[in-house]
């Protein structure tokens, strides 16, 4: 019987995919200014919520550019990330582990705006 390999830790896989997405979003380089990245599945419901959230973030912080799906999004994903000029990132919202029901995946725009204020101050 063949020996069994160890299972990879789920968190290590999530961190690795997050780093890959950031590199793809940045084009492999550091960003010059802070940027907000919204990754959402291409389903209509996800897009509608992402547009509302994007509008709220632009009203709150007009100096920060908001990018939606800079790389191919993962299935069922809804994440909001702040990319800093020094190369680090801060996750403002992740709905990947939330639900069912599906509505739990989407944050209230005010929640994300409050989280953004914490990181900007």
């Amino acid at each position: 019987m063949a020996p069994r390999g160890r299972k990879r830790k789920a968190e290590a896989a999530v961190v690795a995919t997050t780093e890959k997405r950031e590199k793809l979003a940045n084009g492999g380089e550091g960003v010059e200014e802070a940027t907000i990245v919204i990754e959402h599945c291409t389903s209509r419901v996800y897009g509608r919520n992402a547009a509302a959230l994007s509008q709220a973030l632009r009203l709150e912080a007009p100096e920060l550019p908001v990018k939606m799906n800079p790389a191919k999004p993962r299935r069922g994903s809804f994440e909001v990330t702040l990319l800093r000029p020094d190369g680090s990132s801060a996750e403002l919202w992740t709905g990947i582990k939330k639900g069912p029901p599906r509505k739990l995946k989407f944050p209230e725009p005010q929640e994300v705006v409050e989280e953004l204020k914490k990181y900007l101050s």
Side-chain angles (χ1 to χ4, degrees):
M1 203 163 151
R4 293 185 187 188
R6 277 199 263 174
K7 292 184 179 182
R8 291 188 305 166
K9 303 251 183 220
E11 269 188 46
V14 169
V15 169
T17 57
T18 303
E19 289 173 357
K20 283 182 184 177
R21 269 187 291 120
E22 289 173 7
K23 285 182 181 177
L24 288 173
N26 297 339
E29 304 170 5
V31 290
E32 294 84 34
E33 59 182 357
T35 307
I36 300 170
V37 177
I38 299 175
E39 177 192 5
H40 66 89
C41 181
T42 55
S43 167
R44 195 177 324 168
V45 174
Y46 288 79
R48 223 178 301 135
N49 286 301
L53 180 60
S54 170
Q55 185 178 15
L57 289 169
R58 284 186 178 120
L59 288 173
E60 186 60 37
E63 70 279 358
L64 293 177
V66 178
K67 293 183 182 179
M68 295 178 62
N69 286 342
K72 183 178 178 186
R74 293 168 290 164
R75 182 178 172 270
S77 66
F78 196 93
E79 288 190 334
V80 183
T81 308
L82 174 66
L83 299 177
R84 297 186 184 119
D86 62 3
S88 63
S89 66
E91 200 164 89
L92 302 176
W93 174 267
T94 182
I96 291 180
K97 302 259 186 211
K98 300 195 188 307
R102 185 186 291 181
K103 70 178 183 179
L104 295 177
K105 285 187 171 282
F106 310 115
E108 290 296 321
Q110 199 56 37
E111 287 180 39
V112 179
V113 167
E114 291 300 319
E115 194 68 24
L116 177 65
K117 285 180 184 177
K118 288 180 194 174
Y119 285 105
L120 291 180
S121 55

